[in-house]
C-alpha cells in the first residue's frame, strides 16, 4: 500500500488561528511510502445512515467528496526538514 496510517478521522469542532470555528478532520499519522506527486480523494460519509446493529446492509450515505490539490512527497534523503 502506498498510503498508510490513520485513514479515517471523526469530525472535530475546532477554532482556527483567526478565531473562526469550523468542522475539521485531523489525520496526524497519515504517511505516503513512495516519492512523487499525489492528490487525495476525501469522502465524508454519514455512518449513522448504516446503523450500528446492521452489518452488510450497504455503504454509508456520502455527504461530500473532494480531491485535494497536488502535493509532493520526498524520500527521507531528499527532505531537508522544516525550514
Amino acid at each position: 500500500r502506498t498510503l498508510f496510517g490513520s485513514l479515517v478521522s471523526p469530525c472535530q469542532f475546532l477554532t482556527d488561528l483567526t478565531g473562526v470555528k469550523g468542522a475539521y478532520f485531523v489525520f496526524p499519522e497519515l504517511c505516503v511510502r513512495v516519492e512523487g506527486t499525489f492528490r487525495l480523494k476525501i469522502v465524508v460519509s454519514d455512518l449513522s445512515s448504516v446503523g450500528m446493529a446492521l452489518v452488510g446492509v450497504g455503504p454509508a450515505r456520502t455527504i461530500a467528496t473532494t480531491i485535494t490539490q497536488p502535493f509532493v512527497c520526498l524520500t527521507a534523503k531528499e527532505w531537508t526538514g522544516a525550514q
Side-chain angles (χ1 to χ4, degrees), residues 25-46:
F25 298 87
V26 180
F27 296 88
E29 298 174 6
L30 191 59
C31 301
V32 180
R33 290 185 190 261
V34 296
E35 68 177 306
T37 302
F38 301 93
R39 297 174 78 165
L40 297 176
K41 180 179 180 180
I42 309 294
V43 178
V44 178
S45 300
D46 177 9

Side-chain angles (χ1 to χ4, degrees), residues 1-72:
R1 292 173 42 184
T2 300
L3 190 65
F4 70 98
S6 301
L7 303 180
V8 177
S9 175
C11 181
Q12 302 288 323
F13 295 100
L14 305 169
T15 303
D16 71 10
L17 297 175
T18 63
V20 177
K21 294 181 180 182
Y24 295 88
F25 298 87
V26 180
F27 296 88
E29 298 174 6
L30 191 59
C31 301
V32 180
R33 290 185 190 261
V34 296
E35 68 177 306
T37 302
F38 301 93
R39 297 174 78 165
L40 297 176
K41 180 179 180 180
I42 309 294
V43 178
V44 178
S45 300
D46 177 9
L47 298 180
S48 69
S49 67
V50 175
M52 294 301 287
L54 302 175
V55 177
V57 296
R61 181 174 62 93
T62 298
I63 297 172
T65 302
T66 191
I67 305 286
T68 67
Q69 293 294 318
F71 61 93
V72 177

